[in-house]
Amino acid sequence: MILELNNINKSFINNDKQSFAAVKNVNMHLGKGECIGIVGESGCGKSTLARIICHLTYVDNGNIFFKGRNSTRLKGKELKDYYKNVQMVFQDPLSTFSPRMKIGDYLMEPFVNFKIMGKKEARKYVGDLLENVGLSKEYLNRYPNELSGGQLQRVVIARCIGINPEIIIFDEATSCLDVSIQNQILKLIFELRQKSNFSSIFITHDLAIAENICDRIYVMKSGEIVEVLEENNIVREAQHPYTKLLLESSLVFS
Amino acid sequence: MMKKIKRIFFLFMLCLAFSIIIFSFIAPKFAPNDPLVTDFQNVLREPTDKYPFGTDQVGRCIYSRILYGAKTTLSITFLLLGLVFLFGLIIGTIAGMIGGKVDTAIMRITDIILSFPDMVLAIAVVGMLGPGLVNTVLALSLIWWTKYARLSRVLVMSIKNREYIDAGRMAGGSPLKLITRYIFPNIISPLVVQLAIDIGSMMLAIAGLSFLGLGVQPPAPEWGNMLNEGRAYMQTAPWLLIYPGMAIFIVVCVFNVLGDTLRDVLDPKHI
């Protein structure tokens, strides 16, 4: 077991000073090399959950166990070590990049910050990383706005893979891209997974994608997990009316 | 096309501004006379060959005094702006990043300072501390830092929750590194524009305080000071006022236009 979430709760206070629960009593576990999916409509709390796992949002209560160690509240060096092992691919590729930072500098950041290698070595290494995801080394000196969404998402994935983490979270990683690019990115993720065997959490609103690549699917609705699907044929397995609703809505379009 | 014209115009203004700055430092070499030496045989003389801009009430060469004054005015302006910019940026960033009570406290302090009419507050401060260059700098920076603190606070707050900051955090960046590598580069252009626009107003503020007799003290040449000393002779010897007034006008104009064009060049939305 590499990651375990125990009774995670998180609520936010909205403009009317009312507390509103974004994540309620979520339990989840992720084994080594597994890929789990979190599926639900917009606003169901799946992104909040991803941010909680990444320590970008703190939990109100509940515990996060990483490799058996309680990692609910981490600070300083511990958090840095945690980030060496947990990385996230964000939804909107363009907003993941600082507009005034070149692609090369973006890629080098973690390797220099984590003191994995020196600047010169890192520069060479990130060039190779780019080629791994099918982009040429020339892009190192470009600014993010000169690249397309699909290319940027490749750069993000390249950096995540380069750190060699235990877990990569894909938070709607393909939903900002058009359909053909979506497939390329999914294929890329699939190939890389076979090469380096990281565990992944795939967050999406599309049950069809999740069904294709995930070992286990958690269906979320208004902050709660309403159903866990373990088999491959979710159409037959789905019990909860909400899951059926989701399935129907995706079937209409495909 | 419009964009290109604006760029060329901006480069032209930039060259002009730089030449003014450089010129102000080498200007004393061009001065035909000592700006402090009085010549009682040539008091309030109209412009002549020896005194291109005429002489003042004690017979000092106005042309030389303007050339020497450029350095005083410009160096105080840049020193002051540098000071308030740095201080405001640091305080504003702290307020924006930490938020909560620290933010509220800092913002209330700026509110208090901003609620005074700025020139009156400066006069009061200089009046209390006594006239002089150091006190002028102190009084003006006491007021002006609030402007940069507020601006940088708002800018920091507007980008501190962006995803790229989170991405930077996940890449192991320490808070200081996040600020210097992610936040500053993305908020610096509006701040620089503000800085360029403020050069003109700052010069006027310094000249204004000197005009009131609180800033640079006579006999040191300074443009505002020269206006003050020449005030009594406005009707009989207008060159005492016209030339220093023109100098202030031209330099302030150049820096104001530079600030405006800089905003157009740096912010793509304005083109």
Side-chain angles (χ1 to χ4, degrees):
Chain A
M1 205 55 52
I2 197 148
L3 185 78
E4 235 184 305
L5 302 183
N6 257 338
N7 274 322
I8 298 288
N9 279 287
K10 174 75 192 173
S11 45
F12 292 107
I13 293 169
N14 66 9
N15 287 339
D16 305 328
K17 306 261 172 200
Q18 277 165 344
S19 156
F20 135 83
V23 176
K24 282 181 261 180
N25 293 322
V26 167
N27 291 295
M28 199 176 274
H29 60 98
L30 173 67
K32 177 116 186 104
E34 260 186 336
C35 173
I36 60 170
I38 302 175
V39 180
E41 62 193 356
S42 312
C44 72
K46 51 195 197 310
S47 283
T48 307
L49 194 60
R51 292 178 60 87
I52 285 171
I53 298 171
C54 294
H55 283 75
L56 296 171
T57 303
Y58 285 107
V59 288
D60 293 341
N61 53 58
N63 288 308
I64 303 169
F65 291 93
F66 178 71
K67 282 183 164 172
R69 271 190 63 210
N70 190 336
S71 312
T72 316
R73 278 168 218 282
L74 297 175
K75 268 189 185 148
K77 203 183 164 299
E78 278 182 322
L79 187 62
K80 232 175 175 177
D81 285 337
Y82 184 75
Y83 283 149
K84 269 188 214 173
N85 290 310
V86 179
Q87 284 292 316
M88 168 145 93
V89 178
F90 292 87
Q91 177 169 8
D92 179 5
L94 192 56
S95 67
T96 316
F97 289 83
S98 164
R100 294 185 190 265
M101 194 182 243
K102 285 182 179 161
I103 300 294
D105 293 325
Y106 168 84
L107 281 168
M108 279 162 63
E109 277 285 285
F111 309 109
V112 176
N113 283 345
F114 293 140
K115 299 200 172 69
I116 298 172
M117 49 186 89
K119 272 194 176 162
K120 264 191 189 157
E121 209 185 329
R123 187 114 204 133
K124 245 188 86 187
Y125 181 61
V126 298
D128 297 339
L129 279 180
L130 268 190
E131 285 180 345
N132 270 347
V133 295
L135 293 173
S136 96
K137 272 183 188 167
E138 284 168 37
Y139 288 109
L140 285 180
N141 288 320
R142 302 269 187 94
Y143 282 99
N145 60 346
E146 297 170 56
L147 273 68
S148 70
Q151 287 171 327
L152 287 175
Q153 208 62 304
R154 280 167 191 270
V155 175
V156 177
I157 292 170
R159 181 168 101 169
C160 285
I161 300 286
I163 300 168
N164 209 4
E166 302 270 0
I167 304 172
I168 301 182
I169 300 164
F170 297 92
D171 182 8
E172 301 262 20
T174 57
S175 59
C176 274
L177 309 169
D178 60 49
V179 186
S180 58
I181 310 286
Q182 263 187 23
N183 278 336
Q184 287 177 21
I185 296 287
L186 287 173
K187 234 181 240 167
L188 175 74
I189 294 172
F190 227 67
E191 277 170 29
L192 292 168
R193 241 174 61 107
Q194 277 163 353
K195 262 188 230 165
S196 49
N197 198 34
F198 51 85
S199 314
S200 44
I201 300 176
F202 213 88
I203 296 173
T204 177
H205 55 264
D206 192 340
L207 261 177
I209 293 179
E211 187 189 7
N212 277 330
I213 53 178
C214 298
D215 300 319
R216 190 166 58 249
I217 299 171
Y218 293 87
V219 181
M220 264 182 106
K221 194 196 174 201
S222 16
E224 281 173 303
I225 289 178
V226 291
E227 189 162 24
V228 184
L229 306 164
E230 305 237 18
E231 298 297 320
N232 281 328
N233 194 341
I234 47 172
V235 182
R236 211 181 309 144
E237 201 195 347
Q239 298 289 326
H240 197 277
Y242 178 68
T243 317
K244 285 184 177 163
L245 195 75
L246 274 180
L247 267 174
E248 271 165 29
S249 54
S250 74
L251 283 175
V252 169
F253 291 107
S254 57
Chain B
M1 192 59 202
M2 219 29 217
K3 204 172 165 182
K4 207 168 177 187
I5 295 173
K6 277 196 169 156
R7 266 204 102 80
I8 293 169
F9 186 60
F10 165 70
L11 287 177
F12 173 69
M13 292 314 293
L14 196 67
C15 290
L16 210 61
F18 263 108
S19 37
I20 287 177
I21 293 168
I22 292 167
F23 181 71
S24 75
F25 281 90
I26 55 169
K29 292 219 164 49
F30 296 105
N33 301 297
D34 188 320
L36 300 178
V37 167
T38 54
D39 180 354
F40 284 106
Q41 276 162 346
N42 288 308
V43 170
L44 297 175
R45 207 25 88 75
E46 276 177 46
T48 57
D49 282 349
K50 195 178 176 222
Y51 302 111
F53 288 173
T55 60
D56 65 5
Q57 71 280 13
V58 284
R60 294 174 298 199
C61 173
I62 290 181
Y63 181 58
S64 306
R65 285 177 69 74
I66 286 178
L67 290 182
Y68 274 88
K71 192 178 158 188
T72 323
T73 307
L74 282 172
S75 47
I76 301 173
T77 306
F78 286 112
L79 175 83
L80 248 173
L81 276 178
L83 213 69
V84 295
F85 177 76
L86 271 183
F87 192 63
L89 181 66
I90 292 169
I91 299 284
T93 309
I94 291 172
M97 284 303 280
I98 298 176
K101 282 182 182 147
V102 178
D103 180 32
T104 314
I106 292 175
M107 282 308 109
R108 290 304 80 81
I109 293 171
T110 63
D111 281 345
I112 292 168
I113 294 174
L114 282 172
S115 65
F116 288 106
D118 55 354
M119 215 50 192
V120 175
L121 183 61
I123 292 167
V125 171
V126 180
M128 264 191 302
L129 297 174
L133 192 58
V134 179
N135 293 343
T136 313
V137 170
L138 214 66
L140 286 174
S141 40
L142 186 71
I143 299 154
W144 281 59
W145 71 269
T146 53
K147 203 170 176 175
Y148 291 94
R150 296 191 135 227
L151 184 58
S152 38
R153 167 184 172 265
V154 171
L155 290 168
V156 166
M157 284 177 50
S158 74
I159 70 160
K160 75 167 180 183
N161 289 325
R162 295 276 171 92
E163 265 177 4
Y164 57 81
I165 308 286
D166 288 337
R169 196 169 285 142
M170 291 195 74
S174 60
L176 194 67
K177 198 156 187 189
L178 287 178
I179 290 172
T180 53
R181 272 182 74 87
Y182 291 84
I183 292 184
F184 282 170
N186 287 300
I187 65 170
I188 209 76
S189 56
L191 285 169
V192 167
V193 170
Q194 186 62 44
L195 204 59
I197 292 172
D198 280 347
I199 293 173
S201 348
M202 184 62 100
M203 281 171 77
L204 287 179
I206 293 167
L209 280 180
S210 297
F211 177 76
L212 294 171
L214 297 170
V216 180
Q217 292 303 296
E222 202 276 339
W223 297 343
N225 205 356
M226 289 169 73
L227 285 178
N228 182 26
E229 289 174 7
R231 207 177 35 184
Y233 308 92
M234 200 188 288
Q235 267 117 29
T236 51
W239 55 90
L240 257 65
L241 294 162
I242 289 173
Y243 294 112
M246 283 296 281
I248 294 178
F249 174 74
I250 290 168
V251 174
V252 170
C253 254
V254 166
F255 282 105
N256 272 346
V257 176
L258 176 75
D260 277 348
T261 49
L262 184 66
R263 181 179 57 209
D264 291 344
V265 169
L266 286 181
D267 187 358
K269 277 178 223 138
H270 281 265
I271 295 171

